[in-house]
Amino acid sequence: MNNKIKVGIVGANGYAGAEVLRLIAEHPLAELKVVTSRAQLGKKVASVFPALPCDLEFSDAQDPALKTCDVVFTALPQTAGAALVGELIDAGVRVIDLSADYRFDDVSVYERTYNVTHPRPDLNKLAVYGLCEVNRKKIKSAKLVANPGCYVTSVLLPMLALSSAVKVTNIIADSKSGVSGAGRKADEAYSFCTLDENFKAYGLFTHRHAPEMSEKLGQKLLFTPHLLPIKRGILSTIYFDVNDSSAAIDALQRAYADEPFVSYTDALPEIGFVAHTNRCMFGARFDGNRGIVISVIDNLLKGAAGQAVQNMNIMFDLPETSGLPLYAPI
Amino acid sequence: MNNKIKVGIVGANGYAGAEVLRLIAEHPLAELKVVTSRAQLGKKVASVFPALPCDLEFSDAQDPALKTCDVVFTALPQTAGAALVGELIDAGVRVIDLSADYRFDDVSVYERTYNVTHPRPDLNKLAVYGLCEVNRKKIKSAKLVANPGCYVTSVLLPMLALSSAVKVTNIIADSKSGVSGAGRKADEAYSFCTLDENFKAYGLFTHRHAPEMSEKLGQKLLFTPHLLPIKRGILSTIYFDVNDSSAAIDALQRAYADEPFVSYTDALPEIGFVAHTNRCMFGARFDGNRGIVISVIDNLLKGAAGQAVQNMNIMFDLPETSGLPLYAPI
Amino acid sequence: MNNKIKVGIVGANGYAGAEVLRLIAEHPLAELKVVTSRAQLGKKVASVFPALPCDLEFSDAQDPALKTCDVVFTALPQTAGAALVGELIDAGVRVIDLSADYRFDDVSVYERTYNVTHPRPDLNKLAVYGLCEVNRKKIKSAKLVANPGCYVTSVLLPMLALSSAVKVTNIIADSKSGVSGAGRKADEAYSFCTLDENFKAYGLFTHRHAPEMSEKLGQKLLFTPHLLPIKRGILSTIYFDVNDSSAAIDALQRAYADEPFVSYTDALPEIGFVAHTNRCMFGARFDGNRGIVISVIDNLLKGAAGQAVQNMNIMFDLPETSGLPLYAPI
Amino acid sequence: MNNKIKVGIVGANGYAGAEVLRLIAEHPLAELKVVTSRAQLGKKVASVFPALPCDLEFSDAQDPALKTCDVVFTALPQTAGAALVGELIDAGVRVIDLSADYRFDDVSVYERTYNVTHPRPDLNKLAVYGLCEVNRKKIKSAKLVANPGCYVTSVLLPMLALSSAVKVTNIIADSKSGVSGAGRKADEAYSFCTLDENFKAYGLFTHRHAPEMSEKLGQKLLFTPHLLPIKRGILSTIYFDVNDSSAAIDALQRAYADEPFVSYTDALPEIGFVAHTNRCMFGARFDGNRGIVISVIDNLLKGAAGQAVQNMNIMFDLPETSGLPLYAPI
């Protein structure tokens, strides 16, 4: 019991933060010590979220108890967590940051993309990009992990495998996400009557996840997100050309053969195969050198909180699947 | 063409008002002259609602053009439309009011229920309760029609038929409504992620439609509303006792036999049978003297805008079904 | 009254056929004379579809009354309607066929695509492709109209406008459709529990609508359909390159400027803007010579029954918008 | 590892059986040994259910490995599992049966309700009704546990607490269930297009769960089920009279105060509070002696597979919450 990893969550009122809370509360080897939320300060978690029967109270981000944690998940808007992340790291607390602040190798791309000045370029150098299956070794010893974007994860897992084996060009990622990807909001644009029985594209040529994908893939790509009338899940339909389609299939099949959470499937995957799990599944079809990959994740799990907890498991030498759902419910 | 009824709509930004707008825009015998909305003042309707390709601009409720209309639909919050309704009626314009202001015979019940002072008790005396099939004659010559509440319509149509034929006691109406019943809202409680895959009861013992039902039925009843994860439609499951069940069935079958929009069905009706139409369908089952009626309507049509337009058709001697959908889409 | 167009519908049990039934039943200038369904033979329409309060009984496709109609809509599976279509045309009845049988100029492409022998290549020569806004003149005098595919309509309307003005290359249409596109089915793959909160791609490189698009566009394109957890609507995200993007935008804005049902929009259209209407709306964004068009329709209306009725309106010199909804409900 | 409970599942192709499979596959103290399905015989679980990455193959119900299990979950249609249940118990295997076969104390009520002859009245005497919080002691030593019905669980948990403290009369349970309650089906009545945006009542006065509730409550009640357009969850709105409302509230608040899975809440519970968990939450409102309880569960978890696994935990002295989710996702 007293060997459990001590965990803090900053910004536990948002969907990603609340999902980390849920996972840690049921994690067999971790223990929730502090959860903070400015909006819910002083309230019991269970009174704010009747679905989360947790005895803790929300404190604020200055709570000194955060510095007694082994790891803190920060789930704040861009740049808002910068000072805190620095303090925590100075205090020897390892941090898994769910914002975009530390995701970019090139700080200037981050600044252009998010239209901000990077709060801590010095910390950015420490940060490890937390795409678990790809950066596992660096994550193990990282002080600061930058948890990848949700759309990005769905695209990078298959496309990095592909790119490492064959020449891939003309990439277009047409992605569709459930509504929880937009976060908790009081906004008519996200109301039930606006979104139910509806579907739309947004952010054409301008979505912030495109530069993140491009930097990690080492090439520009075209990315178009869409909003699905479901709560959870992303499906990315990825179009591209390759110089060798059988090497491409081979690469997709082998790349993650030993991974518990990432798998190639001959059948094309559907969002329902992975919703409520930490898995990424992808399949592919080729017509000559033209290829299509279909990749699915749960945007709040493998696309956010699940990958964050997987990063924690890696950082603290826990079994990597601890506390992470693998089987999808009906 | 120039014989068409000239129509104004006040508060066309809300769901009920916008639905009146849609019906009138496609009505063969009516013509939209003015639409008002404080929130959207000066904007083209089509730019605010791309789904409603109407050339008019939103003006405000002081627009003098309202007084040149034959009829004005007022769809404002409780008491907000009072002064305007008076001015319009003084100017000889007939008014169909979609608020609760003029629904009650007994002003004191209205005041207790809505916790306001009635703005115009004098006008209240003029008002006809616009339950079309029941009050058709009075509606024909009415200057002011008080359009009934949505839940109320689903309950009154079968229960008034029943009450007029047999002794009905111990009424419990357990009603379930689609989300549009709550109106257009920027509120996390009505966000897609809150309501999708969810269902809840609300307003136990306290919902404002209970006194409206009670007054019209002439007896107290217990009413519990619930929120369905669908956009449109109400289903009311109504429990009661009767002194003669075969007379009860007979009454339900005959009461509306000649009505185009209200019908008894041997099969139990579902919301899908009437969504997107102006119909009310109900069925019934009895076990001895204990009875259950299942009644369905579209809350925005027969429960609001559709019944309002049906009232207009009656008031202006148009064919009662003009401009009102009768067939439900898949 | 007695001047109304006399209408028959063959295969009125399927979604497209039932939707034609609904539109004709409420059409001010047409009259339903015969509806057939093998599955529902002898039953009242209203008893099979409580949502469609129509007094007719389903007869079978041999009903001689079909030959007394002015026009018959045939909504049967591929090749199943061939003999009947021939008989009707020989009897002087004009036919609007909702199957794929007569959609292709090149019979051999049809045969390869649907893996059948064309039942009546002779009739195929008579057939006019019923994309209303593009072939209006030929449709006026057509004996046989081949109603376009649903996905096809969403892609052709913007892309034909574009192709007629600029050089368009590298077209990829990533389309998403509501479930009604698959037709009425007792199949676990289309059950509520399978599709709710789910999303998937299907038919990669092999969907039958791709050759139809290619023939009409005069170039190959890549088409990927997906299944949305909604009842109605298609959104196509279409990627392409042009040689002149400002001419491209201009073409998209002007092509249908005078059309009631097809419109360009600066804002990107959503399915909700056109669901339950006969409209097609599209918008576009360009980045250099790379373009993206977003095009939306209701798959059962502009994508099937609505366009079929629009074709009837054209063929019989009725106002083209008669009986066709233009305003989308909430 | 080798101390884990060895588990077999018979009928793992249905929703309840597949949900037991999912829970056991992630259970820290149990191990899946055999899963059977006639429909899927010989196939890998993961190939049939891509969402369930389990290495086992489906065998048939005669698989001798079943007799080497510590416990077998039987999830077969009424009477179909009777012979097998007997054989397993004779072989010393404890059985948790998810059908209705052994739920009734009075075999004749079972026979009338399900219109069958009871296959094994002798076994019926052994059976313990598996409402965990109520029968925990008997369940501990039971050879055969009859897992309660889903609707029944949502009603009994609050109403047994109430009945044990005050006199409760005139009970009406108006219940609403997600679609998974109907089981896996290829049936147009359960297709997406039939149920999406729809809602209906069914089984008025005749549903099979009413006699089960009546027997356990010791009084007749009126029960009406409805079908919600969601995948999972039941909300029961229960109307009744009491002789002492403050004793009633007190009983509801205290009855399960120490239970991990059952709780009273001042706020009214919604399905979303418990979906994907093994919890039952209920709240209540009173007006004089008239009361309303709102009770929610996940029909596949506390209403079926979750309660079954909770029964296993009790029978084998495992921590009762092992392998059972307590926190609901967004």
Side-chain angles (χ1 to χ4, degrees):
Chain A
M1 263 312 187
N2 40 13
N3 285 348
K4 286 189 175 180
I5 305 299
K6 290 189 278 297
V7 174
I9 305 171
V10 174
N13 185 43
Y15 285 158
E19 193 77 352
V20 174
L21 190 162
R22 182 174 74 94
L23 291 173
I24 296 297
E26 309 223 56
H27 196 293
L29 305 169
E31 196 175 9
L32 212 48
K33 286 294 184 186
V34 201
V35 295
T36 85
S37 160
R38 199 160 41 178
Q40 310 294 356
L41 188 61
K43 294 186 199 154
K44 277 247 186 178
V45 170
S47 74
V48 174
F49 300 127
L52 303 177
C54 165
D55 277 336
L56 290 175
E57 261 176 33
F58 287 108
S59 61
D60 72 18
Q62 266 57 58
D63 189 329
L66 284 171
K67 294 192 181 155
T68 68
C69 291
D70 296 308
V71 61
V72 169
F73 294 86
T74 48
L76 294 174
Q78 264 55 257
T79 76
L84 178 64
V85 169
E87 283 175 44
L88 291 169
I89 285 176
D90 289 346
V93 180
R94 297 170 83 179
V95 173
I96 299 169
D97 183 64
L98 284 88
S99 81
D101 287 354
Y102 305 100
R103 288 181 190 160
F104 290 80
D105 295 327
D106 183 340
V107 162
S108 70
V109 176
Y110 166 80
E111 293 185 327
R112 259 199 321 277
T113 302
Y114 287 85
N115 198 25
V116 292
T117 301
H118 196 293
R120 295 286 303 265
D122 58 318
L123 284 183
N124 200 63
K125 284 177 196 138
L126 292 181
V128 173
Y129 190 68
L131 192 66
C132 308
E133 288 76 12
V134 172
N135 282 345
R136 189 176 279 121
K137 264 197 200 154
K138 289 186 188 163
I139 293 164
K140 248 185 217 303
S141 56
K143 291 186 174 169
L144 170 56
V145 168
N147 215 55
C150 53
Y151 284 123
V152 184
T153 297
S154 75
V155 170
L156 287 185
L157 284 169
M159 298 311 285
L160 284 174
L162 216 52
S163 298
S164 70
V166 297
K167 186 170 163 53
V168 186
T169 50
N170 297 324
I171 303 173
I172 297 177
D174 188 283
S175 295
K176 299 87 175 174
S177 173
V179 180
S180 61
R184 193 185 297 282
K185 281 192 181 158
D187 182 341
E188 201 206 315
Y190 294 91
S191 73
F192 184 84
C193 286
T194 301
L195 296 180
D196 179 51
E197 300 295 294
N198 197 3
F199 180 69
K200 68 170 184 177
Y202 65 99
L204 275 67
F205 293 117
T206 61
H207 194 277
R208 292 164 165 188
H209 282 185
E212 187 181 337
M213 292 177 199
S214 290
E215 184 185 78
K216 305 310 174 193
L217 274 175
Q219 67 174 291
K220 286 211 118 188
L221 87 176
L222 179 47
F223 167 63
T224 309
H226 300 72
L227 193 57
L228 285 168
I230 65 174
K231 288 211 275 195
R232 308 168 69 110
I234 285 175
L235 183 147
S236 291
T237 307
I238 312 168
Y239 301 91
F240 53 86
D241 296 316
V242 288
N243 61 335
D244 180 343
S245 64
S246 65
I249 298 172
D250 198 59
L252 289 169
Q253 289 174 336
R254 286 168 191 262
Y256 303 99
D258 299 326
E259 291 292 342
F261 291 122
V262 185
S263 54
Y264 172 87
T265 164
D266 282 330
L268 292 178
E270 309 177 7
I271 281 179
F273 295 179
V274 300
H276 295 278
T277 80
N278 195 47
R279 298 175 78 193
C280 173
M281 291 179 80
F282 51 79
R285 295 290 181 275
F286 288 86
D287 181 27
N289 287 336
R290 167 55 62 100
I292 306 176
V293 159
I294 306 290
S295 175
V296 294
I297 61 168
D298 181 309
N299 59 297
L300 286 178
L301 290 172
K302 188 61 178 169
Q307 183 147 259
V309 170
Q310 190 182 350
N311 278 316
M312 178 192 83
N313 290 345
I314 294 171
M315 290 161 84
F316 291 88
D317 279 321
L318 311 180
E320 196 165 323
T321 57
S322 281
L324 290 168
L326 196 58
Y327 282 65
I330 291 152
Chain B
M1 261 319 185
N2 39 15
N3 287 348
K4 286 187 175 179
I5 305 300
K6 292 190 278 293
V7 174
I9 304 170
V10 174
N13 185 45
Y15 286 158
E19 192 78 350
V20 174
L21 191 162
R22 182 174 74 94
L23 291 174
I24 297 297
E26 308 223 54
H27 196 293
L29 304 169
E31 198 175 5
L32 211 48
K33 287 294 183 185
V34 201
V35 297
T36 85
S37 161
R38 200 161 41 181
Q40 309 294 355
L41 189 62
K43 295 186 200 156
K44 279 248 186 178
V45 171
S47 74
V48 174
F49 300 127
L52 303 178
C54 165
D55 278 336
L56 291 176
E57 262 176 30
F58 287 109
S59 60
D60 70 19
Q62 266 57 57
D63 189 331
L66 283 171
K67 294 191 181 156
T68 68
C69 292
D70 297 309
V71 62
V72 169
F73 294 86
T74 46
L76 294 174
Q78 264 53 259
T79 76
L84 178 63
V85 169
E87 283 175 43
L88 291 170
I89 284 175
D90 289 345
V93 180
R94 299 170 83 178
V95 173
I96 299 167
D97 184 65
L98 285 89
S99 82
D101 287 353
Y102 305 101
R103 289 182 189 159
F104 289 80
D105 295 327
D106 183 341
V107 162
S108 69
V109 176
Y110 166 81
E111 293 185 326
R112 260 200 320 275
T113 303
Y114 288 87
N115 198 25
V116 292
T117 301
H118 196 291
R120 295 286 303 265
D122 58 320
L123 285 182
N124 201 62
K125 284 175 196 142
L126 293 180
V128 173
Y129 189 68
L131 192 66
C132 308
E133 287 75 13
V134 172
N135 283 346
R136 189 176 279 125
K137 264 195 202 154
K138 288 187 188 165
I139 293 164
K140 246 185 220 307
S141 56
K143 290 185 174 171
L144 171 56
V145 168
N147 215 55
C150 53
Y151 284 122
V152 185
T153 296
S154 76
V155 171
L156 287 186
L157 283 169
M159 298 312 283
L160 285 173
L162 216 52
S163 297
S164 70
V166 297
K167 187 170 163 54
V168 187
T169 50
N170 296 326
I171 305 173
I172 297 177
D174 188 284
S175 295
K176 301 86 174 175
S177 173
V179 181
S180 62
R184 191 186 299 283
K185 284 197 179 153
D187 182 340
E188 201 205 316
Y190 294 91
S191 72
F192 184 85
C193 286
T194 301
L195 296 181
D196 180 52
E197 300 294 296
N198 198 1
F199 180 69
K200 67 170 185 176
Y202 65 100
L204 274 66
F205 292 114
T206 63
H207 195 275
R208 293 164 166 190
H209 282 186
E212 188 182 337
M213 293 178 199
S214 290
E215 184 185 77
K216 306 308 174 194
L217 275 175
Q219 68 174 290
K220 287 211 118 190
L221 85 179
L222 179 47
F223 167 64
T224 309
H226 300 73
L227 194 57
L228 285 168
I230 65 174
K231 288 211 276 192
R232 307 167 70 109
I234 285 174
L235 184 147
S236 290
T237 306
I238 311 168
Y239 301 91
F240 53 88
D241 295 316
V242 288
N243 60 336
D244 180 343
S245 64
S246 66
I249 297 173
D250 198 57
L252 289 170
Q253 288 175 336
R254 287 169 190 260
Y256 302 99
D258 299 326
E259 291 292 344
F261 291 122
V262 184
S263 54
Y264 172 87
T265 166
D266 283 331
L268 292 178
E270 310 177 7
I271 281 179
F273 294 179
V274 301
H276 295 279
T277 79
N278 194 48
R279 299 174 80 193
C280 173
M281 291 179 80
F282 51 78
R285 294 289 181 274
F286 288 86
D287 181 26
N289 288 335
R290 167 54 63 98
I292 306 176
V293 160
I294 306 290
S295 174
V296 295
I297 60 167
D298 182 310
N299 59 299
L300 286 177
L301 289 172
K302 189 62 179 167
Q307 183 147 261
V309 170
Q310 189 182 352
N311 278 318
M312 178 193 80
N313 290 346
I314 294 171
M315 291 160 84
F316 291 88
D317 279 320
L318 310 180
E320 197 165 322
T321 58
S322 282
L324 290 170
L326 196 57
Y327 282 65
I330 291 151
Chain C
M1 263 316 187
N2 40 14
N3 286 348
K4 286 188 174 179
I5 305 300
K6 291 191 277 295
V7 174
I9 305 170
V10 174
N13 186 43
Y15 286 156
E19 192 77 351
V20 175
L21 191 162
R22 182 174 74 94
L23 291 174
I24 297 297
E26 308 223 57
H27 196 293
L29 304 169
E31 197 175 7
L32 212 49
K33 286 294 184 185
V34 202
V35 296
T36 85
S37 161
R38 202 162 38 182
Q40 309 294 356
L41 190 60
K43 294 187 200 152
K44 278 248 187 177
V45 170
S47 74
V48 175
F49 300 127
L52 304 177
C54 165
D55 278 336
L56 292 175
E57 261 177 30
F58 287 109
S59 61
D60 72 17
Q62 267 56 58
D63 189 330
L66 283 171
K67 294 191 181 155
T68 68
C69 291
D70 297 309
V71 62
V72 169
F73 294 85
T74 47
L76 294 174
Q78 265 54 256
T79 77
L84 178 64
V85 169
E87 281 174 44
L88 290 169
I89 284 175
D90 290 346
V93 179
R94 299 170 84 179
V95 172
I96 298 166
D97 184 65
L98 285 89
S99 82
D101 287 355
Y102 304 101
R103 287 181 190 161
F104 289 80
D105 295 327
D106 184 341
V107 163
S108 68
V109 176
Y110 167 79
E111 294 184 326
R112 258 200 322 274
T113 303
Y114 287 86
N115 199 23
V116 292
T117 302
H118 196 290
R120 294 287 302 267
D122 58 320
L123 284 182
N124 201 65
K125 283 175 196 142
L126 291 180
V128 172
Y129 189 69
L131 192 66
C132 307
E133 287 74 13
V134 171
N135 283 345
R136 189 176 279 124
K137 264 195 200 154
K138 289 186 187 163
I139 292 163
K140 247 184 219 304
S141 56
K143 291 185 174 170
L144 171 55
V145 167
N147 214 56
C150 53
Y151 284 123
V152 184
T153 296
S154 75
V155 171
L156 287 185
L157 284 169
M159 297 313 283
L160 284 174
L162 216 53
S163 297
S164 71
V166 296
K167 188 170 163 53
V168 186
T169 50
N170 297 325
I171 304 173
I172 297 176
D174 188 283
S175 294
K176 301 87 175 173
S177 174
V179 181
S180 62
R184 193 185 297 283
K185 283 194 178 153
D187 182 341
E188 200 204 317
Y190 295 91
S191 72
F192 185 85
C193 287
T194 302
L195 296 181
D196 180 52
E197 299 295 297
N198 197 2
F199 180 70
K200 68 169 183 175
Y202 65 101
L204 274 67
F205 292 117
T206 63
H207 194 276
R208 292 161 166 192
H209 281 185
E212 188 182 336
M213 292 177 199
S214 290
E215 186 186 76
K216 305 311 175 192
L217 274 176
Q219 69 174 291
K220 288 211 118 189
L221 84 179
L222 179 47
F223 168 63
T224 309
H226 301 72
L227 195 56
L228 287 167
I230 64 174
K231 288 212 275 193
R232 309 167 70 111
I234 285 174
L235 183 147
S236 291
T237 307
I238 313 169
Y239 300 91
F240 53 87
D241 295 317
V242 288
N243 60 335
D244 180 343
S245 64
S246 67
I249 296 172
D250 198 58
L252 289 169
Q253 288 176 335
R254 286 169 190 259
Y256 302 99
D258 300 326
E259 292 292 343
F261 291 122
V262 185
S263 55
Y264 172 87
T265 166
D266 282 330
L268 292 178
E270 310 177 7
I271 280 179
F273 295 179
V274 300
H276 295 279
T277 80
N278 194 49
R279 299 174 79 192
C280 173
M281 290 179 81
F282 52 78
R285 293 291 181 273
F286 288 87
D287 181 26
N289 288 335
R290 169 54 64 98
I292 306 176
V293 160
I294 305 290
S295 175
V296 294
I297 61 168
D298 182 309
N299 59 299
L300 286 177
L301 289 173
K302 188 62 180 169
Q307 183 147 258
V309 170
Q310 190 182 352
N311 278 317
M312 179 192 81
N313 289 347
I314 294 171
M315 291 160 84
F316 291 89
D317 280 322
L318 309 179
E320 198 165 322
T321 56
S322 282
L324 290 169
L326 195 59
Y327 282 65
I330 290 152
Chain D
M1 262 315 186
N2 39 14
N3 286 349
K4 286 186 174 181
I5 305 298
K6 290 190 280 294
V7 174
I9 305 170
V10 174
N13 186 42
Y15 285 157
E19 193 77 351
V20 174
L21 191 162
R22 181 173 76 92
L23 291 173
I24 297 297
E26 309 222 55
H27 196 292
L29 304 170
E31 195 174 10
L32 211 49
K33 285 295 184 187
V34 201
V35 295
T36 85
S37 160
R38 199 161 43 178
Q40 309 294 356
L41 187 61
K43 294 185 199 155
K44 279 248 187 176
V45 170
S47 74
V48 173
F49 300 127
L52 304 177
C54 164
D55 278 335
L56 290 176
E57 263 177 30
F58 287 109
S59 61
D60 71 17
Q62 267 57 58
D63 189 330
L66 284 171
K67 295 192 181 154
T68 68
C69 291
D70 296 308
V71 62
V72 169
F73 294 86
T74 48
L76 294 173
Q78 263 56 257
T79 76
L84 178 64
V85 169
E87 284 175 44
L88 290 169
I89 285 175
D90 289 347
V93 180
R94 298 169 84 177
V95 173
I96 298 167
D97 184 64
L98 284 88
S99 82
D101 287 354
Y102 305 101
R103 288 180 190 160
F104 289 80
D105 295 327
D106 182 340
V107 162
S108 70
V109 175
Y110 167 79
E111 294 185 327
R112 259 200 322 276
T113 303
Y114 287 86
N115 199 24
V116 293
T117 302
H118 196 292
R120 293 287 302 267
D122 58 318
L123 284 183
N124 201 63
K125 283 176 198 142
L126 293 179
V128 172
Y129 189 69
L131 192 66
C132 308
E133 287 76 12
V134 173
N135 283 345
R136 188 176 278 123
K137 264 196 200 155
K138 289 188 188 163
I139 292 165
K140 249 185 218 302
S141 56
K143 291 185 174 171
L144 171 56
V145 168
N147 214 56
C150 52
Y151 284 122
V152 185
T153 297
S154 74
V155 171
L156 288 185
L157 284 170
M159 297 312 284
L160 285 173
L162 216 50
S163 298
S164 71
V166 295
K167 186 169 165 54
V168 186
T169 51
N170 297 324
I171 304 173
I172 297 177
D174 188 284
S175 295
K176 301 86 175 173
S177 173
V179 181
S180 62
R184 193 185 296 282
K185 281 195 180 154
D187 183 340
E188 200 204 317
Y190 295 91
S191 73
F192 184 85
C193 286
T194 301
L195 296 181
D196 180 50
E197 299 295 294
N198 199 2
F199 180 69
K200 67 170 184 177
Y202 66 100
L204 275 67
F205 292 117
T206 63
H207 194 276
R208 292 163 165 188
H209 282 185
E212 186 181 338
M213 293 177 199
S214 290
E215 184 184 79
K216 305 310 174 194
L217 274 175
Q219 69 174 291
K220 287 212 118 189
L221 86 177
L222 179 47
F223 167 64
T224 309
H226 301 73
L227 194 56
L228 285 169
I230 65 174
K231 288 211 275 193
R232 310 167 70 109
I234 285 174
L235 183 147
S236 291
T237 307
I238 311 168
Y239 301 92
F240 53 87
D241 296 316
V242 288
N243 60 336
D244 180 343
S245 63
S246 66
I249 297 172
D250 197 58
L252 289 169
Q253 288 175 336
R254 286 170 190 261
Y256 303 100
D258 299 326
E259 291 293 343
F261 291 122
V262 184
S263 54
Y264 172 86
T265 164
D266 283 329
L268 291 178
E270 311 178 8
I271 281 179
F273 294 179
V274 299
H276 295 279
T277 79
N278 194 49
R279 300 174 79 192
C280 173
M281 290 179 81
F282 51 79
R285 294 288 181 275
F286 288 85
D287 180 27
N289 288 335
R290 168 55 62 98
I292 306 176
V293 159
I294 306 289
S295 174
V296 295
I297 61 168
D298 182 309
N299 59 299
L300 288 177
L301 289 172
K302 188 62 180 168
Q307 184 147 259
V309 170
Q310 189 182 352
N311 278 317
M312 178 192 82
N313 289 346
I314 294 171
M315 291 161 84
F316 291 89
D317 279 321
L318 310 180
E320 197 165 322
T321 57
S322 281
L324 290 169
L326 195 58
Y327 282 65
I330 290 152

